Amino acid sequence: MEIDHPETRAEVEAIFAAYEAALLANDNATLLSMFLDNAATVRYGVSEVQHGYGEITAFRKSQAPFTRRLEKTVITTYGRDFATASTLFLRPDLPGEIGRQMQTWVRTPDGWKVAAAHVSMMPE
């Protein structure tokens, strides 16, 4: 297994950047298209839990736009079909806290999809 195959890593970096842009634009249609439409898809948020694509869809519909700045983003690929994205983030509306986000990305016939995600906050 090759770790950080250059072309694969570039693909995941691009989809991660597109995910972040859609998140900050509160573009739910684009965000939802980036999650694996499967009952096994999991997203653990700051104060909520979603098991399955249906619960993720319901959660996204209730979200308001926000701003944040990313720091120390690390994207690692394992082979050509699996990757993780880990990042820290700072939100001006949450002073004194630092956010952590991790995503598991898998290549599907429809492109790269998030199969699992975790978002949490902690004191800075």
Side-chain angles (χ1 to χ4, degrees):
M1 174 181 55
E2 182 177 0
I3 295 176
D4 285 337
H5 176 263
E7 292 168 9
T8 306
R9 185 169 175 186
E11 290 174 12
V12 178
E13 287 171 344
I15 195 71
F16 180 81
Y19 181 97
E20 184 67 14
L23 183 66
L24 296 181
N26 204 35
D27 180 352
N28 290 325
T30 298
L31 288 169
L32 290 171
S33 75
M34 293 178 172
F35 277 89
L36 185 64
D37 186 352
N38 191 283
T41 303
V42 175
R43 182 187 174 279
Y44 294 152
V46 174
S47 61
E48 74 287 328
V49 172
Q50 296 103 50
H51 283 259
Y53 184 80
E55 290 183 9
I56 294 167
T57 298
F59 168 77
R60 282 295 337 143
K61 289 180 181 177
S62 69
Q63 295 309 290
F66 60 88
T67 61
R68 70 182 191 172
R69 185 179 84 244
L70 301 184
E71 291 187 353
K72 298 184 178 180
T73 301
V74 177
I75 295 174
T76 307
T77 63
Y78 302 89
R80 307 253 174 130
D81 300 320
F82 184 87
T84 59
S86 307
T87 194
L88 301 177
F89 62 88
L90 299 167
R91 288 181 48 171
D93 60 324
L94 300 171
E97 295 187 48
I98 190 161
R100 302 169 292 181
Q101 174 181 304
M102 293 191 74
Q103 298 169 324
T104 300
W105 289 85
V106 294
R107 185 190 305 272
T108 73
D110 297 321
W112 286 97
K113 304 290 181 181
V114 175
H118 183 113
V119 181
S120 59
M121 303 294 296
M122 63 183 273
E124 195 170 5

